[in-house]
Amino acid sequence: MGKMFLRPGMPDDDNRDYLPEKIKGSDVVVNENGNNSQPYPERLKEYHGVIADGIEDEWYEYVPESYDPLKKTPLVFSMHGGMMTGWGQAIYTSWTMASDRDGFIVVFPNASENRVWQVEWGKWESDPNAPGPDTNTQTPQGVKASPDNVDENHDIKLALGLIERMKEKYNIDDGRIFMQGMSMGNMMTSLFARNFGNILAGAAGSGCASFLSLLFDENEKIKNRAGHLAIWQSRPELNDIPPEKEEALKVNKYNRLYWMRINECAAIPEISIKGENNLAFYKGEKADLVYLDIKNRDHGQSFDDAALIWDYFFSGLRRESDGTIVNIGSVKERKGDAFSIALAADRSLAWVNNKVVKMQGKAIKWDKLKYHGLDGGEKVRGTYTCVPLSFVAKVFDGVCEYAEDTLTAVLMLKDGRVMQFARGSIGCIVDQELTAMYCEALHREGELYIPMEWFAKYVYNLQVSSCDDVIYITDHFSELSVNMADLLRDILSDAAIPDNYEKMM
């Protein structure tokens, strides 16, 4: 096994061009939110040739120093975004670094025309009467739409031809061929996966999701001719494609559900949030799916995205000769956080250590208010998620004892600490010391409710992040993102899959 190594680059902070040409072959690097480059890799080689249709195409190959022609080697295709290039995709990702460490080959093709792929265009809704981009009349200027017969798509032919050429040139493992794309390259990867995914072991996409009209017909039935395929979807939180939030949440959700249904995935994933990376791992009968939402990242691909895809996913996948996809052991195990709690406002279900549990009552969002000196008005000084004390005791393996009137209670923790609460009091007595909570204890239907954010932070020094009225608590640095909050809210609403899920097939 080789090593990953970060090489120093020359920052070009005054140049904000999308893909500055002077980067090619240099040590210049560009940094922006979500799209950061590395110095041009020395082993990245440019090639030209006629692969299909009599057209001369261009592509880039990265072969690690450790390549052994006597050993079967995995192959990754990485498809650049619109107006980019193969070499641009190489420097804006971490594929070459992962290749150096784990010894696989990467190909970065160039789109055949105008630096944009020949892709499908559709509508965000599957309904043909819905407003939105139309394949025939609203294809962006300079983009050649894919022909109705995908077999006549030149860029598809290029990818298929390059796969065969790589097999002839290198000792490629037929069962370990993968494809990943960013933005328009994601659209290209999606097109390839839905039509020719049977020759891949896995596919991944970063950036915007596919138009729903390309995934489903007007009767909400799935459109697919290649069958099951291990899928990874990266969705930067600030993607803004489509720009309207609720529409974007729906499009992202149904892109996920599309492959969940084909791969026969379980409805409930395991969830791991580490830093800004929000990961949901779905186990499938035919193939697995990974969903990544990246907190505070704009459209594109984060620099570590490729390394994450390889470490968690591609490194452990193989397609056997009979078409089955098996897990052979990835660099990183796809496991949810060992300790985690998620709560959503007005929901009685809670997420605890990757399982759904029921609380005695619904989580209550409660405002901490200031009145005095405001001439009868009020100011909100904080909003918190209050939950039944019995739930807190259960999650933290404590014992809760209520007074007969249920207006006061004592919570005995596993480590011996004793806490006492009372209706309407912001105070809490801990081992005969008084401290103030974030807000007062509430009383609902024979239970005291206390602010969970306060308890997690004050009592156990846990990490708490919140987004769109969902909170996530764990024992390490984590930042809950918009799409993951939406996914968790669905789970905690007992709506992990929609009513039309079964009829999709």
Side-chain angles (χ1 to χ4, degrees):
M1 181 179 288
K3 292 182 178 180
M4 275 192 181
F5 184 75
L6 286 170
R7 295 172 297 130
M10 178 62 70
D12 189 17
D13 295 335
D14 294 330
N15 188 339
R16 291 306 182 201
D17 289 344
Y18 184 54
L19 184 63
E21 290 297 322
K22 67 179 179 181
I23 289 183
K24 188 176 183 181
S26 77
D27 66 347
V28 172
V29 291
V30 172
N31 297 285
E32 60 170 327
N33 189 32
N35 297 292
N36 303 320
S37 72
Q38 60 168 315
Y40 199 90
E42 291 181 1
R43 300 183 65 85
L44 185 66
K45 305 299 181 184
E46 179 179 314
Y47 292 89
H48 301 260
V50 176
I51 304 296
D53 300 326
I55 298 172
E56 183 176 52
D57 281 300
E58 183 176 88
W59 66 93
Y60 296 79
E61 298 173 16
Y62 190 83
V63 181
E65 187 176 3
S66 62
Y67 171 67
D68 182 350
L70 298 179
K71 294 181 180 179
K72 289 290 185 182
T73 302
L75 174 66
V76 174
F77 271 65
S78 186
M79 320 302 272
H80 64 76
M83 304 307 296
M84 286 188 71
T85 60
W87 65 262
Q89 180 72 351
I91 66 169
Y92 274 91
T93 66
S94 44
W95 280 121
T96 58
M97 296 172 63
S99 167
D100 286 337
R101 187 193 67 191
D102 288 355
F104 56 91
I105 292 172
V106 194
V107 176
F108 303 93
N110 272 9
S112 58
E113 290 191 37
N114 304 319
R115 293 191 173 186
V116 292
W117 298 104
Q118 191 175 2
V119 294
E120 310 158 292
W121 292 88
K123 299 174 182 292
W124 293 121
E125 297 283 349
S126 55
D127 180 358
N129 298 314
D134 180 88
T135 303
N136 297 317
T137 62
Q138 295 187 34
T139 302
Q141 186 176 4
V143 177
K144 185 177 180 181
S146 176
D148 292 336
N149 181 0
V150 70
D151 297 303
E152 298 303 317
N153 182 313
H154 175 75
D155 287 335
I156 288 286
K157 291 181 183 180
L158 171 62
L160 290 168
L162 280 175
I163 288 174
E164 293 306 312
R165 178 166 291 205
M166 294 305 107
K167 288 181 183 180
E168 294 170 0
K169 187 174 181 180
Y170 306 107
N171 191 359
I172 299 299
D173 188 338
D174 279 358
R176 304 200 62 206
I177 301 173
F178 308 94
M179 185 175 290
Q180 177 267 345
M182 190 277 283
S183 190
M184 185 176 281
N186 180 21
M187 297 173 70
M188 189 65 198
T189 300
S190 176
L191 175 63
F192 193 95
R194 287 179 277 116
N195 290 278
F196 300 95
N198 54 296
I199 69 174
L200 303 175
S206 307
C208 56
S210 296
F211 294 108
L212 296 186
S213 65
L214 304 179
L215 307 183
F216 304 94
D217 65 19
E218 61 273 14
N219 297 314
E220 298 181 325
K221 299 287 187 181
I222 281 172
K223 298 193 288 188
N224 181 285
R225 79 175 194 179
H228 64 279
L229 177 64
I231 292 291
W232 175 295
Q233 296 179 342
S234 295
R235 301 286 180 252
E237 184 187 54
L238 304 178
N239 197 48
D240 290 336
I241 301 176
E244 201 277 320
K245 180 180 178 181
E246 291 305 315
E247 185 178 35
L249 291 174
K250 178 181 178 181
V251 169
N252 290 339
K253 181 185 303 182
Y254 274 87
N255 269 254
R256 184 173 71 246
L257 290 166
Y258 173 89
W259 285 107
M260 286 174 61
R261 191 69 185 89
I262 292 173
N263 291 344
E264 297 181 10
C265 291
I268 307 298
E270 291 195 33
I271 291 174
S272 175
I273 304 179
K274 299 202 183 317
E276 295 181 325
N277 293 323
N278 288 234
L279 288 151
F281 302 119
Y282 289 89
K283 185 68 176 175
E285 290 294 324
K286 293 184 175 180
D288 294 347
L289 180 144
V290 178
Y291 186 74
L292 168 64
D293 189 27
I294 311 162
K295 183 72 176 178
N296 193 35
R297 290 300 178 103
D298 295 286
H299 175 73
Q301 57 198 347
S302 59
F303 187 59
D304 61 351
D305 192 51
L308 291 170
I309 292 167
W310 177 259
D311 286 355
Y312 278 111
F313 209 46
F314 287 177
S315 63
L317 296 174
R318 172 186 293 281
R319 186 183 284 271
E320 303 288 11
S321 58
D322 64 0
T324 59
I325 295 176
V326 297
N327 292 307
I328 58 175
S330 53
V331 173
K332 291 183 178 179
E333 189 177 9
R334 296 193 294 278
K335 294 287 290 182
D337 291 330
F339 176 83
S340 60
I341 302 169
L343 302 160
D346 201 36
R347 305 297 193 275
S348 59
L349 297 179
W351 180 262
V352 180
N353 302 338
N354 292 287
K355 290 184 173 61
V356 178
V357 303
K358 188 171 179 61
M359 299 186 290
Q360 289 295 103
K362 295 179 179 180
I364 300 171
K365 297 298 289 187
W366 195 254
D367 292 337
K368 179 179 181 179
L369 300 175
K370 171 180 170 58
Y371 295 101
H372 184 71
L374 296 176
D375 298 324
E378 64 185 37
K379 285 186 178 180
V380 176
R381 293 303 193 195
T383 301
Y384 307 105
T385 306
C386 295
V387 296
L389 196 58
S390 60
F391 171 74
V392 177
K394 180 179 180 180
V395 170
F396 291 95
D397 200 18
V399 177
C400 178
E401 293 183 354
Y402 275 100
E404 186 175 354
D405 61 6
T406 70
L407 300 181
T408 62
V410 172
L411 176 61
M412 292 164 284
L413 300 177
K414 190 176 181 179
D415 60 12
R417 285 178 291 176
V418 178
M419 309 177 72
Q420 192 248 320
F421 305 88
R423 180 184 69 180
S425 177
I426 201 170
C428 172
I429 295 175
V430 185
D431 290 342
Q432 291 305 302
E433 291 185 3
L434 180 64
T435 187
M437 299 186 292
Y438 286 168
C439 65
E440 70 273 22
L442 312 177
H443 188 261
R444 301 288 187 275
E445 298 180 356
E447 277 261 24
L448 289 178
Y449 283 61
I450 65 168
M452 192 62 167
E453 295 94 333
W454 171 83
F455 184 89
K457 292 178 181 180
Y458 181 81
V459 181
Y460 283 103
N461 295 311
L462 296 171
Q463 172 84 16
V464 182
S465 60
S466 62
C467 183
D468 290 349
D469 288 340
V470 178
I471 66 170
Y472 190 83
I473 301 167
T474 191
D475 55 6
H476 55 265
F477 170 50
S478 60
E479 292 286 347
L480 180 63
S481 61
V482 166
N483 287 290
M484 189 59 69
D486 186 62
L487 189 157
L488 280 165
R489 188 184 302 102
D490 279 349
I491 292 174
L492 301 182
S493 303
D494 198 21
I497 56 176
D499 293 338
N500 63 342
Y501 187 69
E502 289 303 321
K503 75 173 186 177
M504 287 179 182
M505 298 298 286

